[in-house]
Amino acid sequence: MYSYYPYMPNATKSANYPYQVNPYDHPIDSYRSFPNPAYYDQRQQSVSGEATWTEGGAVTQCGIPWSSNLYMTAAVGVNSSYQCGQTLKVKNLSMPGQREVMVTVVDKVPGYPSNKINLHRRAFEALGASPSVGIIRVEITPSPELEQEKWRDYLSKVVQAAYPNYSVLSSEVVEKTNVSSTRMREIYDYALQSTQENITVRGTVVYDTETDRMITMELKEV
């Protein structure tokens, strides 16, 4: 039988929050309540909410396997505006550093609020969170502008090429600084995983803001 909450093994019941794990002083609305539509426009703005985790399942409502995108995948509510296959940027607000991951929507869950997201365990861990925590506060940005993410994405591809035996799990903004009137420096940390170890690689790029031409690029393990 199909459960309304098939990917929430870590949720606990209470009288007021039937499927809510509540480690916070001011919990967001319960899983069976829905935020006021006037609170945000999902199509254009980031949404503050909560993320849980799952090991996924063999069948998804989108027909996209949980193993897609190196398991950087997620389930959302059936009534949310997020679409199957859409890219969402998820930022961890529960920890310093605000680590981010890009996930692909692969499943939809009936009765799941629009400001909740259920990440694959690997994506949850890529945000720096332990599965034992169960639930974290996050910011969800639908279809992030590629123009804003291009240098992060560029460096990610360079890191992947430089470390072919590793998977890039997540990235974190370290610095974005104007070094002159026409030059910008962006620094990102990338969390990498192989079958033997986890490492962090820092990518730095300096580019001309007028021509968008790269001046220097550097990778180093930190």
Side-chain angles (χ1 to χ4, degrees), residues 5-82:
Y5 300 90
Y7 303 120
M8 296 174 60
N10 51 316
T12 58
K13 295 183 180 181
S14 69
N16 295 325
Y17 299 95
Y19 292 96
Q20 177 95 359
V21 178
N22 178 23
Y24 309 116
D25 292 335
H26 302 287
I28 301 174
D29 56 343
S30 73
Y31 284 112
R32 64 179 179 182
S33 64
F34 290 82
N36 186 341
Y39 175 65
Y40 57 78
D41 181 349
Q42 277 185 260
R43 296 167 299 177
Q44 299 178 6
Q45 299 182 8
S46 297
V47 178
S48 294
E50 294 178 339
T52 51
W53 64 271
T54 175
E55 291 287 357
V59 179
T60 67
Q61 296 295 314
C62 297
I64 305 173
W66 280 94
S67 58
S68 298
N69 194 29
L70 295 174
Y71 291 94
M72 297 298 109
T73 45
V76 298
V78 168
N79 295 322
S80 77
S81 64
Y82 306 138

Side-chain angles (χ1 to χ4, degrees), residues 181-209:
S181 60
T182 60
R183 292 191 178 185
M184 172 75 77
R185 177 172 59 235
E186 296 188 12
I187 303 175
Y188 300 92
D189 279 353
Y190 296 87
L192 275 63
Q193 183 181 67
S194 72
T195 54
Q196 288 81 30
E197 62 177 348
N198 291 339
I199 63 173
T200 299
V201 174
R202 177 163 294 177
T204 302
V205 60
V206 177
Y207 60 94
D208 189 302
T209 56

Side-chain angles (χ1 to χ4, degrees), residues 28-138:
I28 301 174
D29 56 343
S30 73
Y31 284 112
R32 64 179 179 182
S33 64
F34 290 82
N36 186 341
Y39 175 65
Y40 57 78
D41 181 349
Q42 277 185 260
R43 296 167 299 177
Q44 299 178 6
Q45 299 182 8
S46 297
V47 178
S48 294
E50 294 178 339
T52 51
W53 64 271
T54 175
E55 291 287 357
V59 179
T60 67
Q61 296 295 314
C62 297
I64 305 173
W66 280 94
S67 58
S68 298
N69 194 29
L70 295 174
Y71 291 94
M72 297 298 109
T73 45
V76 298
V78 168
N79 295 322
S80 77
S81 64
Y82 306 138
Q83 303 300 313
C84 290
Q86 183 175 2
T87 298
L88 304 177
K89 180 168 70 175
V90 183
K91 179 188 294 184
N92 185 353
L93 301 180
S94 294
M95 299 177 62
Q98 297 188 339
R99 185 175 290 187
E100 301 174 350
V101 294
M102 299 286 192
V103 298
T104 301
V105 175
V106 299
D107 206 358
K108 292 204 168 189
V109 183
Y112 207 57
S114 299
N115 64 338
K116 305 293 193 300
I117 188 168
N118 202 20
L119 302 170
H120 189 277
R121 176 182 54 81
R122 296 193 189 183
F124 193 84
E125 292 175 328
L127 286 173
S130 168
S132 63
V133 174
I135 188 169
I136 57 175
R137 293 179 295 112
V138 296

